[in-house]
Amino acid sequence: MESRPPARFGVAPGSRGRHTGTDGAWHDEGRHTVNAEREKTAAGRHERRIGVIDMLRGLAASAVMLQHVAESSGRAELWPLLEAAPGVFGVVLFFLISGFVIPLSLRGAPRWQDFALRRLLRIYPLTLFAFALLAGLMALGLVPPGPGTDSGYVWLMNLLLLQDFVGVPGLLGVTWTLPIEFAWYGLFGLCVFTLGRRGLHLLALAFPLGLAALVVLSLLSGVRLPFGRIGMLYAAVVGMQVYRHAEGEISRRDVVGSAAVFVLLMLIANGVAFGHFTHPSIRLHHALVPWLLASLLFFLALSGAATPQGRPARALLFLGRISFSLYLLHPIVMVLVHPYAEGYGFIIAVCGLTVPLAWLSFTYVETPGIALGRALVRPRPAPAAGA
């Protein structure tokens, strides 16, 4: 996304300014110095924001993995942790982050085809690797086959991320979020490449109005709607608003208003989905608490505070860089380890194996996929005449 042009310092728009010398060299030097300092300051802020985003990613991935290993450990004393629903917290935080970072991907993808290709190569190489790893472990007898694993149709629907829409078993449960992620890419790309910045204004306005209308419709019709999944898309839209404020496109009042409306509407929507209606496994506090905590943490972390320092911060920064691999691969490691360990030994073994495996997949699967996406959309020089 293009940034706003820098304002002129000490010169009225459209005027030429005044010179103290014949060639204005002193003023040119001063202007270049000011611009250089401005660019350096902006670059520093950008690096700090990226560092904070990576740490938030690491926290989100760790929270999801923590929920899953605690559930499978069999340790009853961990139930207070599960009551806080750290997995929901992590997923909400992931979508807030996605809303912030996806506008950045437009900088190297001026056409919608480039944007779509880069997004596809960001997600699918690791997804295909995860399914291939799962299939390989099943073929070797190291992982027991699950429901539907003997059906090519089930595998195909899972590879296309359509399992929830066609009613087949999910082979890798955490992939339920990926269709929502792709839906966010589609919504954002559609608005940007058809309407430009005006599309982003409409998107930011349509989601709160649409969610409020759906809440009323759900109450009047007596039909429980999937407000959690709808809310993930809304979270991405609000993350986009935070990015736009960071880039100077919208005011502080606008972004604070967007954040406050988001928190209020999601509390109401979750109250309807899990309070007015019932869910077989999720109670009201499992939704309200993690949604509120993830939102507050995201807004506070990106409100201009300095990047945390020290070993915990560096650990989160590392986990943030490999967060997608952590997210997709830890369920496979859990199934692999389960026959050999339980309790806290199970938790330690899963974490100890997942982190190096995630680093390897990030290095040799994710990073080459990202590099391929950048290479394929790199502007090509025009052919020489007569070539």
Side-chain angles (χ1 to χ4, degrees), residues 8 49 66-67 95 119 129-130 172 235 256 259 272 333 345 353 356:
R8 297 175 181 265
R49 288 200 300 265
L66 181 61
Q67 165 118 22
F95 276 97
R119 292 296 92 208
F129 170 76
L172 191 56
V256 170
V272 171
V333 177
L353 289 174

Side-chain angles (χ1 to χ4, degrees), residues 131-218:
F131 279 114
L133 177 62
L134 181 62
L137 292 174
M138 287 182 181
L140 293 172
L142 298 175
V143 168
T149 53
D150 58 345
S151 168
Y153 175 72
V154 171
W155 279 96
L156 178 61
M157 292 300 100
N158 276 266
L159 288 171
L160 296 176
L161 304 176
L162 298 175
Q163 66 273 11
D164 291 343
F165 303 98
V166 297
V168 302
L171 303 180
L172 191 56
V174 292
T175 57
W176 71 269
T177 62
L178 298 186
I180 306 174
E181 184 77 5
F182 277 117
W184 159 236
Y185 298 161
L187 278 174
F188 178 82
L190 180 66
C191 290
V192 168
F193 290 106
T194 57
L195 299 174
R197 296 183 188 275
R198 186 162 60 96
L200 301 185
H201 286 291
L202 294 176
L203 188 61
L205 180 62
F207 255 88
L209 294 177
L211 182 61
L214 288 175
V215 168
V216 173
L217 178 63
S218 178

Side-chain angles (χ1 to χ4, degrees), residues 7 31-32 45 48 76 103 122 137 140 158 200 202 205 249 271 292 324 326-327 353 371 376 382:
R31 183 166 59 252
H32 292 323
R45 286 197 301 266
R48 286 196 298 272
R122 178 65 183 91
L137 292 174
L140 293 172
N158 276 266
L200 301 185
L202 294 176
L205 180 62
E249 293 182 22
L292 183 60
F324 188 35
L326 282 176
Y327 179 78
L353 289 174
L376 290 177

Side-chain angles (χ1 to χ4, degrees), residues 203-381:
L203 188 61
L205 180 62
F207 255 88
L209 294 177
L211 182 61
L214 288 175
V215 168
V216 173
L217 178 63
S218 178
L219 291 172
L220 293 178
S221 65
V223 176
R224 183 184 178 277
L225 297 177
F227 287 119
R229 299 191 180 215
I230 297 170
M232 302 300 174
L233 287 173
Y234 189 11
V237 171
V238 173
M240 175 197 75
Q241 289 292 87
V242 176
Y243 170 82
R244 295 177 69 203
H245 169 65
E247 292 295 301
E249 293 182 22
I250 61 175
S251 68
R252 183 179 183 84
R253 183 179 65 179
D254 289 336
V255 74
V256 170
S258 293
V261 171
F262 166 72
V263 171
L264 177 62
L265 281 178
M266 285 313 304
L267 290 177
I268 294 173
N270 282 320
V272 171
F274 303 104
H276 181 76
F277 297 101
T278 58
H279 188 276
S281 58
I282 301 177
R283 288 182 286 175
L284 181 59
H285 66 277
H286 293 148
L288 296 184
V289 173
W291 274 86
L292 183 60
L293 289 180
S295 302
L296 291 178
L297 175 64
F298 177 77
F299 298 139
L300 290 175
L302 290 169
S303 64
T307 305
Q309 303 294 328
R311 289 184 179 179
R314 289 195 294 271
L316 281 179
L317 191 63
F318 169 72
L319 293 176
R321 289 170 181 160
I322 64 172
S323 58
F324 188 35
S325 288
L326 282 176
Y327 179 78
L328 277 189
L329 299 182
H330 79 270
I332 300 175
V333 177
M334 286 171 56
V335 179
L336 184 64
V337 170
H338 209 279
Y340 309 102
E342 60 182 13
Y344 291 110
F346 170 80
I347 296 175
I348 294 171
V350 170
C351 295
L353 289 174
T354 301
V355 172
L357 177 61
W359 178 79
L360 288 172
S361 66
F362 170 76
T363 303
Y364 297 107
V365 180
E366 282 191 73
T367 301
I370 295 170
L372 178 61
R374 290 173 177 168
L376 290 177
V377 303
R378 185 174 298 164
R380 296 173 174 84

